[in-house]
Amino acid sequence: MVTRRAPLPDGPAPGGGYDVVVVGAGVVGCAIARELARHSLRVALVEAREDIGEGSSKANTAILHTGFDAVPGSLEARLVREGGRLLAAYAAETGIPVEPVGALLVAWDQDQLDRLPGLADKAVRNGHHGTRPLGAAELYAREPHLGPGALGALDVPGESVICPWTTPLAFATQAVRSGVDLHLGCPVEKVRPGGPDAPHRLVTRRGVLRTRFLVNACGLYADAFDALLGRTDFTVTPRRGQLVVFDKFARPLVRHILLPVPGPLGKGVLIAPTVYGNVLLGPTAEDLPDKAATQSTAEGLAGLREQGGRILPALLDEEVTAVYAGLRAATGAEDYRIAAHPELRYVTVGGIRSTGLTASLALGRHTVGLLADAGLDLGPERPLARLRMPNLGEAFPRPYRDAALIARDPAYGTLVCHCERVTLGEIRDALAATVPPASLDGLRRRTRARAGRCQGFSCGARVRALFEEGVR
């Protein structure tokens, strides 16, 4: 069941209420709900916004990490390593586009070059044994458009790019089809903790939810939600990352994910292909006090262009398709901030940084294990609903090129968005899906409509009309 706006149901029968409520429907919350759906539990996934994946999950670098550079022995290192394997297999099973392009960690001065052996050693300690150093000649043979002056690189095979929009949608869809209730547009304003035999009561703008166990997957607002239960374990500082998306004509300029040697604020500015056929430059790393500061700035974009021009000079001659900014949940710690509070029947899944997409399925398993340790009776496992997601990847078959599909249904041969070659059939399917979009931006993340070089100038009116009519 998916609900929006209407008063909340009291909970699934029998007895009302839920066994578990997961608050926050980003990629991590959706993964936790999906994992809980393996069991005969009454589960709800609650999201303040009108759609899933509306926070950090929709605005990241879309990399499926190997975890080669995580802090060895940390929880993040383990979950990224496990999650990467799980998500790669899940993507192949469900049709989420992934391209294993590999990464090159490029050294531009002697100090950076001297640090590469230490990063290779860290990779080995993280269970990644495929890294190797490249000299300048081999580096330029691998990346002929790289700017002058690079001294060498660390080759990191296994790093991939993935669709960050389809991934949380797949988790949420599978969870709902397997019995989870998804309540959207449902911000939690108060929590009245329950006693040993009494449920928690979540006061929302749409009514009250009762639950025996509670999971905080609120991303940027994980600390604020913690405070509703009297916890002050950490503070989230939003770290803004601005990014530039270049047109598909730029795609031949880059063959790998080009990474810098990491600095104190993270991995730094990278250049990477995307599964949609574009090239991505970014992100910046700006610590801010405002958890809604997703605006791009002239200074930030100018800084990206300056750095991008050194890494890949020809990139600056290409057209820019879009710019965007996302916020990461920085907590001042080099690890996730995950904690179980058995006395409250409550688990916090906080401080999930840019690796959260990769680690999401492992985070789901880990969180369900913590709930079980806190007293939740999981009962026997059951199979999840089978799932196959629409393909948004440029390197994989798209409906507009499928003659047999078009012969069966001409809507898949009727282009609506010519820049991204999105068809009427795809838009119709998205609007009729298990978790349909609540906005034109939600429709864009499900189909790529309006995401191309004209940014909806040509197709915008038609797409809006189809959205409002529901493709009747």
Side-chain angles (χ1 to χ4, degrees):
M1 176 173 64
V2 178
T3 72
R4 288 187 173 104
R5 299 186 182 87
L8 288 170
D10 185 54
Y18 291 97
D19 295 309
V20 187
V21 167
V22 180
V23 182
V27 69
V28 173
C30 291
I32 294 167
R34 174 188 173 274
E35 189 66 24
L36 286 165
R38 295 181 182 277
H39 306 274
S40 298
L41 298 168
R42 300 167 296 177
V43 178
L45 177 60
V46 176
E47 168 57 41
R49 304 194 192 192
E50 295 292 329
D51 203 352
I52 62 99
E54 281 278 8
S56 299
S57 298
K58 73 177 182 183
N60 54 49
T61 52
I63 294 176
L64 182 55
H65 296 280
T66 59
F68 79 97
D69 58 347
V71 177
S74 65
L75 179 61
E76 180 181 21
R78 176 171 70 82
L79 294 181
V80 169
R81 186 168 60 248
E82 294 175 6
R85 291 194 294 265
L86 290 171
L87 186 50
Y90 182 77
E93 174 190 332
T94 59
I96 298 170
V98 173
E99 290 187 52
V101 293
L104 297 174
L105 198 69
V106 182
W108 295 95
D109 58 39
Q110 190 61 46
D111 176 66
Q112 292 179 3
L113 189 67
D114 292 342
R115 288 158 63 188
L116 294 184
L119 289 166
D121 178 67
K122 178 187 279 190
V124 170
R125 287 183 285 151
N126 281 320
H128 190 286
H129 298 276
T131 61
R132 68 181 184 92
L134 302 180
E138 186 175 0
L139 171 60
Y140 280 98
R142 298 268 294 268
E143 286 289 351
H145 298 284
L146 201 65
L151 302 182
L154 187 68
D155 181 22
V156 188
E159 296 275 303
S160 304
V161 292
I162 188 171
C163 179
W165 300 335
T166 307
T167 304
L169 181 62
F171 297 162
T173 299
Q174 197 166 34
V176 170
R177 290 184 184 178
S178 301
V180 171
D181 290 345
L182 173 59
H183 301 306
L184 297 165
C186 191
V188 177
E189 298 175 332
K190 296 180 182 178
V191 177
R192 295 174 180 148
D197 300 314
H200 302 303
R201 294 172 63 85
L202 279 63
V203 180
T204 82
R205 292 181 189 174
R206 293 177 49 204
V208 176
L209 287 170
R210 293 181 294 145
T211 182
R212 294 172 53 234
F213 288 80
L214 183 57
V215 177
N216 170 0
C218 295
L220 291 166
Y221 297 90
D223 56 344
F225 193 89
D226 254 7
L228 296 179
L229 285 99
R231 307 295 312 185
T232 56
D233 299 334
F234 61 90
T235 298
V236 173
T237 300
R239 182 167 292 164
R240 181 168 61 191
Q242 301 182 52
L243 299 106
V244 181
V245 182
F246 288 87
D247 192 82
K248 291 176 174 58
F249 287 121
R251 180 63 182 85
L253 296 176
V254 61
R255 301 172 181 176
H256 306 78
I257 303 164
L258 300 179
L259 298 171
V261 177
L265 288 179
K267 295 181 173 64
V269 173
L270 59 85
I271 292 177
T274 76
V275 295
Y276 317 117
N278 302 90
V279 174
L280 196 64
L281 167 65
T284 59
E286 312 156 55
D287 286 348
L288 304 169
D290 184 358
K291 293 183 178 181
T294 56
Q295 310 91 339
S296 297
T297 67
E299 296 80 8
L301 298 178
L304 288 178
R305 288 183 62 85
E306 180 180 355
Q307 294 183 69
R310 180 182 182 185
I311 300 167
L312 208 66
L315 187 62
L316 300 191
D317 296 329
E318 300 296 333
E319 295 291 334
V320 172
T321 295
V323 299
Y324 66 93
L327 298 174
R328 290 159 279 175
T331 64
E334 292 191 62
D335 204 351
Y336 298 154
R337 304 302 293 264
I338 300 176
H341 307 286
E343 72 284 359
L344 287 172
R345 304 190 306 279
Y346 172 59
V347 176
T348 297
V349 186
I352 309 302
R353 304 180 298 173
S354 59
T355 55
L357 172 62
T358 300
S360 53
L361 288 175
L363 280 160
R365 288 188 177 183
H366 182 70
T367 303
V368 172
L370 292 176
L371 288 168
D373 292 342
L376 176 64
D377 183 5
L378 298 175
E381 286 198 15
R382 60 183 181 179
L384 294 169
R386 295 181 64 84
L387 182 70
R388 189 74 184 175
M389 297 300 293
N391 167 54
L392 300 189
E394 195 69 10
F396 305 91
R398 299 276 305 284
Y400 78 94
R401 301 183 67 179
D402 189 333
L405 177 63
I406 294 168
R408 294 194 300 271
D409 187 342
Y412 293 110
T414 304
L415 287 178
V416 176
C417 172
H418 286 259
C419 292
E420 296 297 291
R421 296 176 177 83
V422 181
T423 67
L424 177 63
E426 292 169 280
I427 293 174
R428 177 198 61 199
D429 293 348
L431 294 174
T434 302
V435 185
S439 66
L440 289 173
D441 282 345
L443 182 60
R444 175 174 54 86
R445 293 194 296 273
R446 287 161 171 82
T447 64
R448 286 173 43 181
R450 299 168 52 252
R453 58 176 58 97
C454 86
Q455 289 292 286
F457 180 83
S458 176
C459 69
R462 176 64 171 148
V463 172
R464 178 178 289 278
L466 291 171
F467 175 75
E468 292 176 350
E469 296 167 3
V471 197
R472 291 194 293 268

